[in-house]
């Protein structure tokens, strides 16, 4: 019997327009070996949390989503689960080859390129990479990323016009889940955004879902 490939997932979202080009499915993986000061995703850092999902199930979920342009992998550190994510992209593109792929990483592109075969396999399947650790002292209202050291690296020619577009924050999105929980996604345009949002919502009687996020 073939071995079941599993991915440890912190959260997933079926439609998001602030973490990459167009409308995208997003998977936040669970676990990151880095500890960037000011990381807004503390709940995704331990490797022993999250939900374990079969890659085949995640592929079915993505392939069944109408109107998306692609999928974004956030975290946590996607390259800590590179083999499973590469397998996921192969399964998705077998059925929906038009979907683009983007990933965040706390590692620099050059380091990932020198990494093992799993990391290189994931790189080969991506159209866009946002690379590098979050550096709080360099925080800015930047497109899809939190600090000025981070880069949007085009790995294919799928998005040739990105460099000509304004490098300004895409903002955040709030969502209300079917169970009534409130969550948010996106790259905070200002430091301390999450704490401020949680305080303001709490003052109005709302509790933010603890896995709401994107880091960096
Ligand atoms: S900002 Fe990203 S790379 Fe840094 S600790 Fe948080 S999840 Fe890991």
């Amino acid at each position: 019997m073939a071995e079941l490939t599993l991915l440890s997932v912190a959260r997933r979202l079926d439609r998001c327009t602030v973490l990459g080009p167009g409308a995208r499915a997003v998977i936040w993986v669970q676990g990151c070996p880095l500890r960037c000061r000011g990381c807004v995703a503390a709940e995704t850092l331990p490797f022993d949390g999250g939900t374990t999902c079969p890659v085949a199930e995640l592929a079915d979920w993505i392939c069944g989503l109408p109107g998306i342009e692609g999928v974004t992998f956030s975290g946590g550190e996607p390259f800590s689960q590179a083999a499973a994510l590469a397998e996921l992209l192969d399964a998705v593109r077998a059925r929906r080859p038009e979907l683009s792929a983007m990933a965040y990483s706390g590692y620099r592109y050059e380091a990932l390129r020198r990494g093992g075969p799993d990391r290189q396999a994931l790189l080969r399947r991506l159209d866009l990479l946002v690379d590098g650790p979050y550096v709080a002292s360099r925080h800015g209202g930047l497109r899809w990323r939190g600090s000025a050291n981070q880069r949007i690296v085009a790995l294919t020619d799928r998005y040739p016009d990105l460099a000509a577009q304004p490098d300004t924050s895409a903002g955040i999105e709030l969502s209300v889940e079917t169970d009534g929980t409130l969550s948010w996604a996106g790259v905070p345009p200002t430091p301390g955004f999450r704490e401020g949002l949680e305080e303001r919502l709490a003052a109005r009687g709302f509790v933010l879902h603890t896995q709401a996020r994107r880091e960096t």
Side-chain angles (χ1 to χ4, degrees), residues 13-203:
L13 188 60
D14 57 10
R15 185 180 174 85
C16 176
T17 64
V18 294
L19 290 173
R24 314 184 69 77
V26 183
I27 294 175
W28 288 265
V29 300
Q30 182 71 38
C32 177
L34 306 178
R35 292 294 181 270
C36 305
R37 190 174 64 82
C39 170
V40 76
E43 70 276 7
T44 69
L45 301 185
F47 281 95
D48 57 0
T51 304
T52 302
C53 300
V55 161
E57 180 188 315
L58 292 166
D60 287 345
W61 167 66
I62 293 169
C63 290
L65 295 174
I68 58 167
E69 171 158 344
V71 59
T72 294
F73 302 139
S74 184
E77 172 53 57
F79 282 82
S80 291
Q81 300 187 67
L85 290 175
E87 184 175 323
L88 173 58
L89 287 178
D90 284 347
V92 167
R93 284 173 165 154
R95 284 180 276 169
R96 294 195 54 185
E98 81 282 6
L99 295 183
S100 67
M102 170 172 158
Y104 286 84
S105 179
Y107 299 106
R108 299 271 291 177
Y109 172 55
E110 292 78 4
L112 293 172
R113 281 186 60 185
R114 292 192 301 269
D118 292 345
R119 292 185 172 193
Q120 293 183 29
L122 179 55
L123 276 180
R124 283 196 301 275
R125 288 160 175 78
L126 296 175
D127 297 290
L128 296 174
L129 171 76
V130 176
D131 79 339
Y134 170 64
V135 178
S137 62
R138 300 189 66 187
H139 193 108
L142 306 166
R143 192 179 205 196
W144 303 330
R145 61 211 198 281
S147 59
N149 60 296
Q150 296 173 313
R151 302 171 295 182
I152 302 171
V153 182
L155 300 174
T156 67
D157 57 6
R158 170 81 182 245
Y159 296 105
D161 301 327
L162 278 186
Q165 296 170 7
D167 189 10
T168 53
S169 170
I172 64 149
E173 286 179 342
L174 284 174
S175 15
V176 181
E177 313 290 343
T178 50
D179 64 359
T181 56
L182 191 64
S183 61
W184 66 275
V187 181
T190 54
F193 166 86
R194 178 175 177 168
E195 295 77 5
L197 178 65
E198 286 177 347
E199 284 174 16
R200 285 193 297 276
L201 288 173

Side-chain angles (χ1 to χ4, degrees), residues 3-18:
E3 194 175 331
L4 192 65
T5 304
L6 301 172
L7 189 74
S8 183
V9 174
R11 181 193 172 201
R12 54 175 139 160
L13 188 60
D14 57 10
R15 185 180 174 85
C16 176
T17 64
V18 294

